[in-house]
């Protein structure tokens, strides 16, 4: 029973952070913090415009985090360079990491067309190296496939896995144009096997999609879900307005 092949794209770093409000509210010159951070953020957006990576900023709801900085890069080394560059900004001193996730954009190997170089397939490359979606809201969660008998995903034969995935994928396709999904593999890279990032203009669609998928047999029998993080996307000015509103 061989492992299915995957197509792998950019490495992904979800950096969830909480604001250190005691430090932030006592920062004497907040505008200088903004100027320095804005230069960093603009450098990330410039890389995205040059198709050398992707970058997004998000305000996160609930207690688990306040903000998410989401980066995609061609290599793990480049993600570490971004991490160090952020650490050099005053924003790093005003926030602390509460959760992070490392993964790589993943597609099924079956999408490879016989005789076609993957690097020359523009449609596949756009999915493996995605520009950050512009949708208003984001939802992230990690997940595993169950490995306990009688529902051990990894002991199914290829035909059984394909049957389940086709039914599961049909649900996702019904949300095409409503919810954008970026599925990332993380086996050997982080604590869970996949990281799922959803984008939508209406956050209620996250609930509808995940609710419907929970009743799909492949999820009901084989899926294990980690913590969910939801929020909304902002530009640098929007992030700054949100931060300034907390100073009172």
């Amino acid at each position: 029973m061989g492992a299915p092949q995957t197509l792998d794209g950019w490495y992904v770093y979800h950096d969830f952070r909480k604001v250190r409000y005691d430090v932030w509210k006592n920062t004497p010159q907040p505008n200088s913090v903004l100027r320095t951070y804005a230069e960093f953020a603009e450098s990330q957006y410039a890389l995205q415009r040059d198709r050398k990576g992707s970058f997004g900023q998000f305000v996160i709801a609930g207690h688990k985090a306040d903000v998410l900085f989401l980066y995609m890069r061609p290599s793990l080394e480049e993600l570490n360079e971004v991490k160090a560059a952020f650490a050099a900004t005053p924003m790093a001193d005003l926030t602390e990491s509460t959760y992070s996730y490392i993964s790589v954009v993943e597609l099924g190997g079956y999408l490879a067309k016989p005789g076609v170089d993957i690097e020359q397939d523009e449609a596949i490359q756009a999915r493996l190296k995605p520009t950050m979606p512009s949708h208003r809201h984001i939802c992230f969660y990690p997940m595993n496939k169950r490995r306990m008998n009688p529902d051990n995903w990894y002991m199914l034969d290829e035909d059984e896995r394909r049957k389940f995935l086709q039914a599961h994928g049909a649900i996702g396709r019904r949300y095409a144009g409503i919810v954008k999904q970026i599925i990332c593999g993380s086996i050997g890279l982080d604590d869970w096997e996949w990281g799922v990032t959803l984008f939508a203009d209406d956050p209620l669609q996250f609930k509808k999609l995940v609710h419907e998928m929970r009743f799909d047999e492949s999820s009901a029998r084989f899926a294990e879900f980690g913590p969910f993080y939801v929020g909304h996307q902002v530009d640098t000015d929007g992030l700054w307005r949100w931060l300034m509103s907390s100073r009172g």
Side-chain angles (χ1 to χ4, degrees):
M1 184 184 302
Q5 297 299 304
T6 61
L7 306 179
D8 302 300
W10 278 346
Y11 287 85
V12 184
Y13 174 29
H14 290 74
D15 183 18
F16 293 93
R17 308 184 72 84
K18 283 182 99 46
V19 176
R20 299 174 60 194
Y21 288 107
D22 56 333
V23 176
W24 169 232
K25 291 180 180 180
N26 290 289
T27 298
Q29 296 181 316
N31 287 334
S32 66
V33 175
L34 170 61
R35 284 193 296 270
T36 303
Y37 173 73
E39 292 174 0
F40 166 81
E42 174 54 30
S43 71
Q44 303 308 304
Y45 285 126
L47 284 171
Q48 178 165 266
R49 290 192 294 271
D50 292 339
R51 297 291 299 129
K52 296 179 180 178
S54 286
F55 174 63
Q57 306 171 92
F58 306 85
V59 175
I60 299 300
H63 77 283
K64 295 194 287 288
D66 293 317
V67 293
L68 161 64
F69 301 108
L70 177 51
Y71 311 93
M72 301 184 202
R73 289 291 185 276
S75 70
L76 196 61
E77 291 83 355
E78 288 169 272
L79 286 184
N80 283 333
E81 290 171 2
V82 172
K83 180 180 176 181
F86 176 85
T89 72
M91 188 68 75
D93 298 326
L94 297 176
T95 59
E96 57 186 353
S97 179
T98 58
Y99 187 65
S100 67
Y101 204 82
I102 298 295
S103 56
V104 62
V105 179
E106 179 182 290
L107 297 175
Y110 66 89
L111 292 172
K113 300 172 184 176
V116 177
D117 183 355
I118 291 297
E119 294 297 323
Q120 304 304 316
D121 189 324
E122 294 184 2
I124 293 294
Q125 288 300 305
R127 295 178 64 184
L128 290 175
K129 304 170 183 178
T131 298
M132 192 65 61
S134 60
H135 301 70
R136 176 76 171 153
H137 295 277
I138 189 172
C139 172
F140 169 80
Y141 59 93
M143 64 172 294
N144 288 339
K145 290 294 190 184
R146 191 165 290 135
R147 298 187 298 279
M148 296 178 62
N149 286 326
D151 295 325
N152 187 332
W153 177 259
Y154 295 95
M155 293 302 292
L156 299 178
D157 62 38
E158 183 177 354
D159 288 339
E160 289 179 294
R161 290 198 306 268
R162 183 183 298 113
K163 179 191 69 173
F164 284 123
L165 290 174
Q166 286 175 344
H168 191 73
I171 297 173
R173 286 190 291 274
R174 288 203 292 272
Y175 286 82
I178 301 172
V179 178
K180 170 73 173 179
Q181 305 179 56
I182 297 180
I183 311 299
C184 297
S186 47
I187 295 176
L189 298 177
D190 217 311
D191 296 336
W192 296 77
E193 296 171 345
W194 287 274
V196 179
T197 309
L198 308 176
F199 300 85
D201 289 321
D202 177 5
L204 187 59
Q205 297 303 323
F206 300 144
K207 178 180 182 295
K208 290 180 179 295
L209 172 59
V210 176
H211 176 81
E212 191 170 347
M213 284 189 166
R214 289 283 176 109
F215 284 88
D216 171 67
E217 186 178 1
S218 66
S219 291
R221 289 181 57 190
F222 300 104
E224 298 175 344
F225 295 86
F228 280 69
Y229 293 80
V230 296
H232 69 275
Q233 185 160 199
V234 293
D235 58 14
T236 304
D237 288 342
L239 177 62
W240 197 247
R241 286 192 297 273
W242 178 81
L243 281 169
M244 289 300 290
S245 70
S246 69
R247 282 176 66 93

